[in-house]
Amino acid sequence: MPKRKSTTVAEVAAPSRRRSLRLSSGQSLQDDESATTTPVSVEPSSKKEVEASEPEPAAEEVEESSEPPAKRSRTSRTQKQIPTSKKSAQGAKPTSNESENTSSTRNYWLLKAEPETRLENGKDVSFSIDDLASKTEPEPWDGIRNYVARNNLRAMKKGDLAFFYHSNCKEPGIVGTMEIVREHEPDLSAHDSKAPYYDPKSKPADPKWSVVHVEFRSKFAEPIGLKELRTMGDGPGKPLANMQLLKQSRLSVSKVSSEEWEYLIGVAESRGKVITKK
C-alpha cells in the first residue's frame, strides 16, 4: 500500500474517494433504531449535528448538551448481570504502538461510524470495523463537526482505547475496539470543498475542527446492540445508567468510564472469542 502524502494546513489537496468519514452529524440513537426497519438512504443528509455556520459556544456551554436524554428501553425484564472481564480493562494486549499510558491513567471513548453506503457531497462515507481492520497505517478519524464531539477528540491521549460503534444501519451497536495512536491535529478535510464535510467557516490559518488517528485492536464475536445497551442503562443502579452514549444520543464521539468499559468488555468476552490484532 503506497504511503500517504502528508498535507500541511496551508496546502489542502483534494482527496481521492474517502471511506473514512464518520457518522452523519444529525443522527441520534432514535435514528439508529429506526434504521432497523427502514433502508438507509444513499442520498446526502441535509442535517448536521451542529451546523458548521453556527458560532462556537462558550467553553462552559460546549461541555453541556441541550438534547434530551436517549429514549429508554421498554423491556421490563431484569438485566442479567454479566461479570466483568478478568483480563485488563483495555480489552486487547498491549502492542509496540501503545504509549506508556497505563490502565490506571488511560481514558476510554466510543466513536460512531456508518458501515453501510451513504453519500455526502457525492462521496461514500461508509466505514466499518472490517475496513479499519484492513488498514496498514493509522486511520484518521475525520469529519467531526460538533463542538462537544470535537472537544472529546481533543481530550484523547495516545494509548487511550475506544469502542467502535456501527451506526445508522440495520443492527446498530458496539462491534469492537480501537486504540488512539496519534493525538489531535487540524482536520484538513474541513478546508476541501470536495470533501463530504467541507466547512467554509474553518480556515487553514484558524482551523475549527480536529482529527485523531486510530488503529484496530479487536472485533467482537457478537455485537452489543443498541437495544441491549439501553436495557443495561435503563434505571438507577444499572451498569450503563450514566453512559454518555445514552445521555447525549446525538454525539458521534462520547466518553466511556472505566467501569462501563470493563463491564462491556466482559459482556463481549462472555459471548465468544474476541478477534484481536495479530
Side-chain angles (χ1 to χ4, degrees), residues 111-257:
L111 289 81
K112 297 180 182 179
E114 300 179 49
E116 299 177 1
T117 297
R118 185 178 66 78
L119 299 181
E120 187 74 37
N121 197 19
K123 305 290 185 180
D124 182 6
V125 296
S126 62
F127 193 76
S128 70
I129 186 71
D130 292 326
D131 291 326
L132 180 61
S134 70
K135 300 297 181 180
T136 58
E137 296 180 359
E139 179 70 9
W141 202 271
D142 52 10
I144 302 302
R145 300 294 180 264
N146 170 277
Y147 290 114
V148 178
R150 180 206 64 182
N151 288 354
N152 282 341
L153 282 182
R154 291 181 176 181
M156 293 177 180
K157 300 298 181 184
K158 183 178 179 181
D160 283 357
L161 294 171
F163 285 124
F164 195 121
Y165 182 99
H166 277 177
S167 184
N168 198 24
C169 57
K170 184 177 180 180
E171 297 181 358
I174 299 173
V175 295
T177 66
M178 51 192 156
E179 181 183 347
I180 312 305
V181 295
R182 278 171 56 185
E183 296 178 14
H184 74 89
E185 56 194 62
D187 183 354
L188 302 182
S189 70
H191 310 144
D192 179 9
S193 61
K194 295 182 180 180
Y197 298 110
Y198 169 60
D199 179 7
K201 299 289 186 179
S202 183
K203 306 299 181 183
D206 184 24
K208 292 171 58 177
W209 308 111
S210 299
V211 58
V212 297
H213 286 71
V214 302
E215 285 185 350
F216 171 83
R217 285 295 171 262
S218 69
K219 179 180 178 180
F220 297 163
E222 181 181 332
I224 305 175
L226 172 59
K227 291 183 179 179
E228 295 179 87
L229 293 169
R230 285 176 171 167
T231 301
M232 295 171 186
D234 188 15
K238 291 294 186 71
L240 305 184
N242 297 313
M243 193 172 189
Q244 190 175 34
L245 168 71
L246 304 178
K247 295 288 187 179
Q248 295 173 270
S249 60
R250 291 182 181 273
L251 286 182
S252 58
V253 181
S254 58
K255 299 176 183 178
V256 176
S257 71

